[in-house]
């Protein structure tokens, strides 16, 4: 049995992302049904993949109760019509859930335990707000293991502004405006739609409908508009609803496989997994997590940041992305960073976002045969970061 094989990203899709709450796209739609739709679309788009060749289904959710519980990887696989022989499981690494689903099954593929797997994530923050049902151990605060702000993500972002005073609210707002503009341009150029799966939705008031595009983006966002927003986490603070990702609902999924098996089945591999790393940081400044995880992933890959031609970084907060860019000496408006825009506009349904980053990077790779390496990275609640380095299989230098 092989003990180390190349792992490739074959295909990724997602539902349109919705705004959480009683008026959001998915207010009356189940979380597990979002996952089922994604799995079925992956199978439809890849007819060369026999359902019984799927060896594992790993699905992440941060709040694993209700319609996000019941070992959602397995339950969604059964609901999606995959053979009962296909196992599945659930993962929780907060925001990096789907990213961890991919790296977990990738390790199994490299080792030879799996040939093909489906990995993804879901978060219905309208039905399950972040922190629902949790009972933090009182020792966190009584023994000063973390500061009280560590458990409130917006406060950790304000802490980052304190740590990096050169990252002003104006810089954060400018980054947010640029993200909205890039998303609007990507939609206008049909860069996003090919990887969205239309999702049937229903409300008691309106009946049946179809979700075909993301609900959170706010095209036309201006610096003046953002300057007027409240700072909910601190009086006269710098973090607002405009320079942070919102509360959102959505699901993502992808097919990953051993390179030789993808070739055998006639599946078109888009990128190869080069390395990945997760790292811990002080929970009070969880937004710096992508810095050490990226340094470690690059070291494992034998690469430097100068070798990276495209970066998909999750925009949980603008300040967190700007801290990452400052550390690596990258300009705020570097075209390598989130070419299609990011979570400030698209939204961030926690555990699902890691595969959105990968799906967008794969599409960008296809358009950029001059780029060999890219990475997907994100900060993670409770003080972590995750990074995956990818090689573009459409790279012109490989021919």
């Amino acid at each position: 049995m092989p003990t180390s094989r190349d792992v490739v990203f074959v295909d990724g899709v997602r539902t349109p992302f919705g705004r959480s709450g009683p008026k959001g796209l998915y207010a009356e739609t189940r979380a597990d049904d979002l996952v089922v739709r994604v799995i079925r679309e992956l199978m439809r788009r890849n007819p060369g993949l026999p359902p019984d060749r799927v060896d594992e289904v790993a699905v992440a959710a941060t709040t694993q109760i209700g319609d996000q519980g019941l070992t959602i990887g397995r339950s969604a696989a059964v609901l999606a019509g995959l053979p009962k022989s296909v196992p599945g499981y659930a993962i929780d690494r907060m925001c990096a859930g789907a990213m961890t689903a991919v790296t977990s099954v990738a390790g199994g593929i490299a080792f030879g335990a799996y040939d093909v797997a489906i990995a993804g994530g879901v978060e219905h923050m309208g039905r399950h707000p972040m922190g629902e049902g949790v009972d933090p151990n009182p020792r966190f605060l009584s023994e000063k293991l973390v500061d009280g702000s560590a458990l409130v993500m917006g406060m950790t972002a304000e802490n980052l502004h304190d740590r990096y005073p050169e990252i002003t609210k104006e810089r954060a707002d400018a980054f947010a405006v640029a993200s909205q503009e890039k998303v609007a341009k990507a939609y206008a150029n049909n860069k996003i739609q090919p990887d969205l799966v239309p999702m049937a939705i229903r409300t008691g008031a309106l009946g049946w409908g179809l979700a075909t595009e993301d609900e959170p983006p706010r095209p036309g966002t201006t610096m003046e508009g953002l300057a007027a927003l409240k700072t909910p986490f601190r009086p006269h603070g710098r973090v607002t609803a405009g320079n942070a990702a919102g509360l959102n609902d959505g699901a993502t999924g992808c097919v990953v496989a051993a390179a030789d098996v993808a070739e055998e089945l006639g599946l078109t591999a888009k990128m190869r997994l080069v390395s990945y790393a997760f790292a811990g940081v002080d929970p009070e400044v969880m937004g710096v997590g992508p810095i050490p995880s990226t340094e470690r992933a690059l070291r494992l890959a034998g690469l430097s940041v100068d070798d990276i031609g495209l970066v998909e970084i999750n925009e949980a907060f603008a300040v967190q992305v700007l801290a990452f860019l400052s550390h690596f000496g990258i300009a705020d408006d570097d075209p390598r960073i989130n070419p299609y825009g990011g979570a400030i506009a698209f939204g961030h349904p926690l555990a699902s976002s890691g595969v959105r980053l990968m799906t967008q990077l794969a599409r960008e790779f296809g358009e950029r045969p001059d780029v060999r390496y890219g990475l997907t990275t994100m900060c993670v609640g409770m003080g972590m970061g995750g990074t995956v380095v990818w090689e573009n299989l459409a790279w012109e230098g490989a021919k």
Side-chain angles (χ1 to χ4, degrees):
M1 183 178 75
T3 55
S4 183
R5 300 188 293 177
D6 279 348
V7 180
V8 295
F9 181 99
V10 172
D11 197 12
V13 299
R14 64 180 179 89
T15 67
F17 288 170
R19 293 178 190 156
S20 296
K23 295 182 179 179
L25 279 177
Y26 302 122
E28 297 179 38
T29 301
R30 291 179 60 97
D32 48 12
D33 284 338
L34 297 175
V35 183
V36 167
R37 186 74 183 95
V38 165
I39 294 173
R40 286 179 171 169
E41 179 67 3
L42 286 170
M43 300 307 296
R44 187 194 70 80
R45 284 170 45 139
N46 295 278
L49 174 58
D52 62 359
R53 289 297 301 271
V54 177
D55 295 317
E56 188 71 272
V57 178
V59 177
T62 302
T63 308
Q64 295 189 10
I65 57 178
D67 54 348
Q68 291 182 179
L70 199 63
T71 314
I72 191 165
R74 169 61 173 174
S75 56
V78 172
L79 289 164
L82 292 180
K84 302 294 197 308
S85 57
V86 178
Y89 63 104
I91 281 181
D92 172 19
R93 201 198 293 262
M94 291 197 174
C95 309
M99 177 178 282
T100 304
V102 170
T103 59
S104 296
V105 297
I109 291 168
F111 183 74
Y114 311 136
D115 285 339
V116 182
I118 290 174
V122 64
E123 209 72 52
H124 198 309
M125 299 179 76
R127 284 174 171 246
H128 306 294
M130 184 163 35
E132 180 190 11
V134 302
D135 179 18
N137 195 302
R139 290 199 304 111
F140 278 125
L141 299 183
S142 65
E143 297 182 16
K144 294 183 170 54
L145 298 175
V146 300
D147 181 79
S149 63
L151 303 179
V152 181
M153 296 303 101
M155 291 174 69
T156 69
E158 289 284 8
N159 292 342
L160 267 193
H161 274 291
D162 294 341
R163 177 174 284 198
Y164 298 93
E166 70 277 12
I167 303 178
T168 61
K169 182 178 183 297
E170 289 70 28
R171 269 182 74 186
D173 285 351
F175 185 86
V177 168
S179 181
Q180 295 282 0
E181 290 173 345
K182 287 190 284 187
V183 168
K185 182 179 179 181
Y187 258 103
N189 293 331
N190 200 43
K191 305 297 186 187
I192 306 304
Q193 297 90 323
D195 296 319
L196 296 181
V197 50
M199 180 70 201
I201 55 176
R202 188 183 186 284
T203 65
L206 300 175
W208 287 98
L210 195 65
T212 59
E213 61 182 39
D214 294 305
E215 188 179 24
R218 296 182 183 273
T221 296
T222 64
M223 289 291 288
E224 294 73 23
L226 294 187
L229 295 177
K230 296 177 181 178
T231 58
F233 303 105
R234 186 185 294 181
H236 310 293
R238 292 141 298 190
V239 179
T240 71
N243 58 32
L247 304 178
N248 307 106
D249 311 329
T252 63
C254 66
V255 174
V256 288
D260 57 337
V261 174
E263 186 175 0
E264 169 204 333
L265 296 175
L267 304 174
T268 303
K270 297 180 175 69
M271 50 190 191
R272 180 181 71 87
L273 197 157
V274 179
S275 69
Y276 67 85
F278 295 91
V281 297
D282 289 337
E284 298 86 353
V285 285
M286 65 97 196
V288 299
I291 294 172
S293 66
T294 297
E295 290 178 331
R296 176 171 170 77
L298 289 172
R299 186 170 69 250
L300 292 172
L303 300 172
S304 77
V305 73
D306 295 333
D307 296 311
I308 302 301
L310 287 166
V311 175
E312 278 292 329
I313 179 169
N314 192 48
E315 299 169 359
F317 301 93
V319 63
Q320 158 257 316
V321 179
L322 294 171
F324 175 91
L325 298 181
S326 295
H327 177 84
F328 287 105
I330 300 171
D332 293 5
D333 60 353
D334 190 303
R336 294 177 294 172
I337 310 301
N338 294 357
Y340 296 168
I344 287 172
F346 286 121
H348 173 32
L350 303 180
S352 70
S353 287
V355 166
R356 179 188 67 78
L357 302 176
M358 296 172 191
T359 300
Q360 288 189 196
L361 180 64
R363 188 155 293 279
E364 292 155 9
F365 270 169
E367 298 176 353
R368 295 287 306 276
D370 58 309
V371 171
R372 183 173 186 182
Y373 295 110
L375 62 82
T376 53
T377 187
M378 60 202 313
C379 62
V380 189
M382 286 299 292
M384 293 181 284
T387 302
V388 187
V389 177
W390 300 92
E391 182 179 25
N392 184 6
L393 294 178
W395 177 54
E396 59 196 9
K399 297 169 184 173

